[in-house]
Structures are given as C-alpha cells and as structure tokens.
Amino acid sequence: SIKMDLLHSNGVLIIQHLQRDYRAYQDFLNFMSHVGDPRNIFSIYFPLWFQLNQVIGTKMIWVAVIGDWFNLIFKWILFGHRPYWWVQETMIYPNQSSPCLEQFPITCETGPGSPSGHAMGSSCVWYVMVTAALSYTVRWKDKSAVTLHRLTWSFLWTVFWIIQISVCISRVFIATHFPHQVVLGVFAGILVAEAFEHTPAIQTASLRMYITTNLFLFVFALGFYLVLKLLDIDLLWSVPKAKKWCANPDWINIDTTPFAGLVRNLGALFGLGLGINSEMFITSCKGKNSFKISFRILCMAASLATLQLYNFVKIPTHTEYLFYILSFCKSAAMPLTVVALVPYCVHLLMRTTEKKLN
C-alpha cells in the first residue's frame, strides 16, 4: 500500500542516517544486536536467574518461548519486509536508483521482519528481570527504604529503556529492520511479559502440562502454515528474498528461518519441564543444599561454563529435517543441564566433601 511504502521509505532514510553518522559506534551497535539475540536468554540470563530464584528463572523461559511463538505468528500474519531486500525490489524509487544500504554478517535474517524478534525477546525478558528485582525492594517498609526503592525503580527502568533503545537502534542500523518493526517488537514483548506476571500456574506445571503446551504450540503453528499453504499463501516467502539479496551467501543461516526458532523454543520448554519434574531436581534444588549461597554460586558458575560448551556443538545443516531434530535436542539439553544435571552434580560434590570433613 501507499502508506506502507511511505513508512518503509522513511525508514530507509533513518537507516541511511544511522549508517552514515553512527559509523563510529558500529562495534557497539553490533554488540547490542547480539545482546538482544533471543538465544542469550537460554545460555546467559536463564542460568543466572534460575540459580538465584527458581520462580523467576521458570517464568523467564515461559515468557521467552511464548513471546517468540507469538512473534512467529505475527510475522506470518503481517508479512513484514526487511530493509536490505525491500530497497532492491520496491518500485517507488525513480530510474532504478534504489538507496544503497550496507549489510553486515548479522543482517541477512531469513524470516519476515515485523515485529522484530530481537526487540520483542529483549523487552520481555528484561521486563521480567526488572520487575523481579523490584519485587525485593517493594517489601521494604521504613521511610529510608521506601526512598531507596523509588531510586532503584527509577534506575532500573532507565536501564531497561536504554537497553531496549540501543537494541532497536542496532537492529535498524544493520538494515535488518525498519524502525516501526522494532517499536512494535518492544511493546509486544512487554505485553507478553506483563501477562505472565498474572499467570502463577506455570510454577506448578506438571511434565504433562509442558508436553501438552509444546504439542499445542507446534500443532497450531504447523496447522496455520499448512492451511495458508493450501490457500496458496507461502509463509516462507521471505527465505528466497533473503537468499537473493544478501550481499554474502555465507551470511545466510538456517538458524534464522521461522521453523528453526519454533523448534529451538519448543526444545527449551520441554527441557525445562523435564528438568523441573526430574528426581535430580527434587534431590538437589529442593534439598538442604539449595539454601546455601555456596551451592547457588557453584551451580551458577558451572551452568554458565557448561552452556558455553554447547556453542562448540555444531549441528549439520545439509539436511533440514535432521537440523530441526538435533536443534530441538540441543535446546532441550540446555535448561535440563541448568535445572537438573549441574545442581545434582554440585549436590553430590558437596555431600562427598562434607563426608570427608566429618
């Protein structure tokens, strides 16, 4: 439509301005784009928060998974273009003089562009972290503590918005999103996170509920895709566009396709459910050691170190279905490691040490 073309063309002007005038901040903006990567939720934020507070850690995974699932559905409904291919195909520029937008190794994502998954994932998870931190200070009753709570409230929400704005600017800078797409992503993420502030049932969910939720999310997404495909609507229309207009074919990654994100998130949710309902979790995280600061610190450090090793596990991409299966397994292993395997090993280590000392 004319209005959307106008919105896109104004967005291109903003991207050109950022790429021209913010060149000195290129490394910082690329870093902030990595900060907003939804995969950091499972490998960094979750292991830290789960060992500090299991309620917050559990909520974080649910918010991340459901938020990213909604992001996928919104992307399929909105059919949002990405700047790096839109400027090559639009007819609104005269005499074939399309603007030149610089691309980067993280530019060529293959899914639709609206809303931004990075902005949505970043806002929903940081919203959970900020509200969790403030929940500790809101209980303070004396006058000086109330003042400290207000100062903490102002500081944390300021940090929240600085991070979200930085992530949004970084995504626009690398020409992978238009400005309106990142703004939509931020507010959609906040809405999802706020919804889970009033959903306590996830804390007592059984393994059966985790499996049922997984099946519902998968069947709904797959059914939505197949129904529209029968109507001759290709929801993977963005993949060939990305391959055609990406400046470097090596920058195209199957991990950015719509179904790759879906499989990754379903794996993480399944792994969390398996871990929380395991005997290892009950023995270690519900035992007497769970109240010890040393136990939590050891679990935190061991979890972070172990999850970094998963980065060295490269999943073969030559067969798409095999990639999805192995990606599901790898994603399930990460929260299972944090929730059950690492705490149980630390529990056994501490118990052995205590017996030797006695």
Side-chain angles (χ1 to χ4, degrees):
S1 67
I2 296 176
K3 289 184 178 179
M4 189 57 69
D5 283 341
L6 182 62
L7 190 63
H8 285 161
S9 60
N10 288 334
V12 168
L13 292 176
I14 293 174
I15 295 169
Q16 288 181 304
H17 169 70
L18 290 173
Q19 291 188 344
R20 182 181 65 251
D21 298 338
Y22 287 77
R23 175 64 56 192
Y25 303 101
Q26 177 179 329
D27 291 340
F28 171 74
L29 292 173
N30 284 332
F31 170 74
M32 289 308 300
S33 187
H34 285 295
V35 168
D37 192 330
R39 284 169 288 197
N40 289 333
I41 298 168
F42 308 119
S43 61
I44 298 176
Y45 304 140
F46 169 67
L48 285 173
W49 274 95
F50 188 82
Q51 306 305 345
L52 289 173
N53 188 313
Q54 293 168 10
V55 171
I56 304 304
T58 301
K59 184 195 298 183
M60 186 175 291
I61 291 289
W62 277 89
V63 166
V65 170
I66 301 300
D68 208 50
W69 183 83
F70 273 114
N71 182 262
L72 172 64
I73 301 301
F74 289 153
K75 283 180 185 293
W76 279 348
I77 292 173
L78 297 177
F79 281 80
H81 290 274
R82 292 187 186 271
Y84 75 92
W85 76 57
W86 181 83
V87 294
Q88 305 290 343
E89 298 189 341
T90 182
M91 304 299 293
I92 70 169
Y93 297 107
N95 303 322
Q96 304 293 318
S97 57
S98 58
C100 180
L101 298 181
E102 184 176 355
Q103 296 183 24
F104 303 86
I106 56 176
T107 295
C108 300
E109 297 204 8
T110 56
S114 186
S116 166
H118 280 64
M120 192 167 173
S122 175
S123 65
C124 71
V125 169
W126 279 91
Y127 187 93
V128 169
M129 290 193 287
V130 169
T131 52
L134 290 175
S135 67
Y136 290 102
T137 62
V138 75
R139 303 167 190 164
W140 300 341
K141 300 298 183 182
D142 57 273
K143 190 174 181 180
S144 60
V146 170
T147 303
L148 182 59
H149 168 71
R150 289 174 180 171
L151 290 173
T152 306
W153 187 95
S154 300
F155 172 75
L156 289 179
W157 284 117
T158 299
V159 170
F160 172 85
W161 284 110
I162 288 174
I163 290 173
Q164 303 320 311
I165 291 171
S166 299
V167 169
C168 289
I169 291 174
S170 72
R171 302 301 289 170
V172 175
F173 173 84
I174 63 175
T176 200
H177 284 295
F178 290 104
H180 70 277
Q181 295 173 344
V182 293
V183 171
L184 179 60
V186 168
F187 287 102
I190 291 174
L191 286 175
V192 171
E194 180 59 30
F196 275 89
E197 291 293 315
H198 312 284
T199 314
I202 60 173
Q203 302 299 334
T204 55
S206 63
L207 180 58
R208 183 177 180 179
M209 181 177 175
Y210 276 93
I211 294 174
T212 303
T213 304
N214 252 19
L215 288 173
F216 171 79
L217 296 178
F218 177 73
V219 170
F220 185 96
L222 182 61
F224 187 71
Y225 169 78
L226 293 175
V227 167
L228 291 185
K229 191 171 184 179
L230 289 174
L231 297 174
D232 204 26
I233 300 175
D234 183 15
L235 293 181
L236 300 181
W237 61 273
S238 59
V239 177
K241 288 183 181 293
K243 292 179 178 179
K244 180 179 180 180
W245 296 114
C246 184
N248 187 339
D250 293 336
W251 295 346
I252 297 289
N253 192 338
I254 191 175
D255 202 31
T256 65
T257 59
F259 278 111
L262 175 65
V263 169
R264 183 172 59 246
N265 287 306
L266 294 182
L269 188 62
F270 176 72
L272 176 66
L274 201 61
I276 283 182
N277 291 279
S278 69
E279 196 65 37
M280 287 188 291
F281 172 77
I282 296 171
T283 301
S284 56
C285 293
K286 294 296 184 181
K288 62 178 183 179
N289 279 334
S290 62
F291 298 100
K292 297 178 180 179
I293 300 296
S294 58
F295 174 79
R296 296 194 178 195
I297 292 176
L298 282 172
C299 287
M300 195 183 299
S303 296
L304 287 171
T306 305
L307 291 187
Q308 299 317 304
L309 298 177
Y310 282 96
N311 294 328
F312 296 101
V313 179
K314 301 300 180 183
I315 301 176
T317 59
H318 57 275
T319 305
E320 192 170 357
Y321 292 112
L322 178 62
F323 172 83
Y324 290 146
I325 293 172
L326 294 178
S327 180
F328 179 90
C329 295
K330 179 180 176 180
S331 298
M334 295 176 74
L336 182 61
T337 299
V338 174
V339 171
L341 296 178
V342 165
Y344 187 70
C345 291
V346 173
H347 164 74
L348 293 179
L349 178 65
M350 293 183 69
R351 190 174 67 176
T352 303
T353 305
E354 287 174 358
K355 285 182 178 179
K356 288 182 178 179
L357 291 176
N358 293 333

